[in-house]
Amino acid sequence: MLKICNEIPDSCKWKRIEAINKGWSSDQKYYIRTTDGRELLLRMSDIRQYGNKKQDFEALKQLDKIDILISHPIDFGICNNGQSVYSLLTWIKGEDARTVLPGLSNKEQYQLGVKAGETLRIMHQIPAAKNQMPWSERFNRKINRNITYYKACGIHLKGADKIIKYIEQNRYLLENRPQCFQHGDYHVGNMIVTKSGELGIIDFDRLDYGDPWEEFNRITWCADISASFASGRINGYFDHDVPALFFRLMALYIASTQLSSVPWSIQFGQDEVNTALRQAENVLEWYDGFETYIPEWYVSPPPE
């Protein structure tokens, strides 16, 4: 590892290097502490990922213009005798939001969710890259792929017919949707709470461009831990004035994600398959078999 790092500028000033074994990314991740006390995040990927990683690094630079707490890009390049590409970013010091939330009151959970929604709204000020395919065309392709993969995967999800029925009945909502920068994996697992209570956002390795409201497709992971947080995230995003159309589209994006999560989980073993099936069952319950489009955990007024 140290030999690889020697090719990275200023790595001679790195005093501490620790591997990070969290998340689903294929990247190798390391916590770095420098001789002058700075804390950094090093991400390393196969050189074949160079084009994508370069594009992502440049996209992250756009977030320097806005006032949110994220891992900011510092340096990008090639190392490991040309076999790896690296990204160096600032480190956000704090605790995983998944760990912090259960220890807070409902009101505090809600307020942190509001911050998450406000932060996402600010992030969505970054416009989409030019020459984007129309969203309805792009996402309909994704839906078709998700349904095909689910039907071919050999694992039966009870209630899948209800999920597919809702998707088919609501595809028309994808027409004329705006597009913007997307984090791509926005949920509590990629959020850090600092000592002072600030909310930091990490792991932009799935960043993309698309419908801003698609970013709520993984709010299921938030609701699993805290309904108050998930509700606050929605209300904070819309400044407590949520349009009805949003809930219909959020249900569509969640439905599509639940279908895709089943075949996706197979590569990670039976435990992850069970997790995907459990969450899909929860989602079906939240939406009463998709007879409704507002999940049962959602609360409009702040909890006391």
Side-chain angles (χ1 to χ4, degrees), residues 226-265:
S226 168
S228 296
F229 178 90
S231 299
R233 187 183 143 186
I234 292 170
N235 295 336
Y237 185 86
F238 290 102
D239 199 17
H240 296 84
D241 187 17
V242 188
L245 176 61
F246 165 76
F247 286 109
R248 291 182 180 274
L249 268 165
M250 182 176 80
L252 175 63
Y253 292 136
I254 287 174
S256 180
T257 298
Q258 295 316 300
L259 275 190
S260 68
S261 68
V262 176
W264 173 85
S265 66

Side-chain angles (χ1 to χ4, degrees), residues 128 132-143 171 173-180 182 208-215 217 249 252-253:
Q132 288 289 310
M133 180 188 294
W135 181 245
S136 58
E137 184 180 342
R138 183 177 165 204
F139 201 80
N140 271 308
R141 285 184 187 180
K142 190 173 185 177
I143 286 173
R171 283 181 187 252
L173 297 174
L174 299 167
E175 294 292 334
N176 302 312
R177 290 297 304 155
Q179 298 189 65
C180 68
Q182 294 177 324
D208 202 353
Y209 297 92
D211 180 359
W213 294 358
E214 191 206 4
E215 292 268 49
N217 64 344
L249 268 165
L252 175 63
Y253 292 136

